[in-house]
Short mmCIF file of all heavy atoms in Angstrom, two decimals:
data_model
loop_
_atom_site.label_atom_id
_atom_site.label_comp_id
_atom_site.label_asym_id
_atom_site.label_seq_id
_atom_site.Cartn_x
_atom_site.Cartn_y
_atom_site.Cartn_z
N PRO U 51 -26.10 14.89 39.09
CA PRO U 51 -25.45 16.20 39.26
C PRO U 51 -25.73 17.12 38.09
O PRO U 51 -25.79 16.69 36.93
CB PRO U 51 -23.97 15.84 39.34
CG PRO U 51 -23.95 14.44 39.85
CD PRO U 51 -25.15 13.77 39.24
N ARG U 85 -31.84 32.21 56.02
CA ARG U 85 -30.75 32.17 55.06
C ARG U 85 -30.98 31.11 53.99
O ARG U 85 -30.75 31.35 52.80
CB ARG U 85 -29.43 31.91 55.80
CG ARG U 85 -28.19 32.01 54.90
CD ARG U 85 -26.91 31.68 55.66
NE ARG U 85 -26.70 32.59 56.78
CZ ARG U 85 -26.62 32.21 58.05
NH1 ARG U 85 -26.75 30.93 58.38
NH2 ARG U 85 -26.40 33.10 58.99
N THR U 114 -40.71 33.27 50.81
CA THR U 114 -39.71 33.70 49.83
C THR U 114 -39.84 32.95 48.51
O THR U 114 -39.22 33.35 47.52
CB THR U 114 -38.29 33.48 50.39
OG1 THR U 114 -38.21 32.16 50.97
CG2 THR U 114 -37.95 34.52 51.45
N ALA U 175 -57.09 27.33 52.43
CA ALA U 175 -58.11 27.29 53.49
C ALA U 175 -58.94 28.56 53.42
O ALA U 175 -58.49 29.57 52.87
CB ALA U 175 -57.45 27.13 54.86
N LEU U 190 -58.42 40.58 41.86
CA LEU U 190 -57.48 39.48 41.64
C LEU U 190 -58.22 38.14 41.70
O LEU U 190 -58.90 37.86 42.69
CB LEU U 190 -56.38 39.50 42.70
CG LEU U 190 -55.36 38.36 42.62
CD1 LEU U 190 -54.43 38.56 41.43
CD2 LEU U 190 -54.56 38.25 43.91
N PHE U 204 -54.17 6.02 50.36
CA PHE U 204 -54.74 5.80 51.69
C PHE U 204 -56.10 5.15 51.52
O PHE U 204 -57.03 5.78 51.01
CB PHE U 204 -54.86 7.13 52.44
CG PHE U 204 -53.52 7.71 52.84
CD1 PHE U 204 -52.80 8.49 51.96
CD2 PHE U 204 -53.00 7.46 54.10
CE1 PHE U 204 -51.57 9.02 52.32
CE2 PHE U 204 -51.77 7.99 54.48
CZ PHE U 204 -51.05 8.76 53.58
N LEU U 214 -46.37 -3.32 66.24
CA LEU U 214 -45.37 -2.35 66.63
C LEU U 214 -45.05 -2.53 68.11
O LEU U 214 -45.92 -2.85 68.92
CB LEU U 214 -45.89 -0.92 66.40
CG LEU U 214 -46.21 -0.53 64.96
CD1 LEU U 214 -46.92 0.83 64.93
CD2 LEU U 214 -44.96 -0.48 64.11
N ALA U 229 -45.63 16.74 61.39
CA ALA U 229 -44.49 17.43 61.98
C ALA U 229 -44.67 17.60 63.48
O ALA U 229 -45.78 17.83 63.97
CB ALA U 229 -44.31 18.79 61.31
N ALA U 253 -54.64 0.78 77.93
CA ALA U 253 -54.93 0.13 76.64
C ALA U 253 -55.23 1.15 75.55
O ALA U 253 -55.32 0.80 74.38
CB ALA U 253 -56.10 -0.83 76.79
N VAL U 342 -65.70 18.09 60.86
CA VAL U 342 -65.79 16.90 61.72
C VAL U 342 -67.18 16.78 62.33
O VAL U 342 -67.78 15.69 62.35
CB VAL U 342 -64.70 16.95 62.81
CG1 VAL U 342 -64.96 15.88 63.89
CG2 VAL U 342 -63.32 16.75 62.20
#
Side-chain angles (χ1 to χ4, degrees):
R85 186 182 300 120
T114 46
L190 177 73
F204 290 85
L214 298 171
V342 168

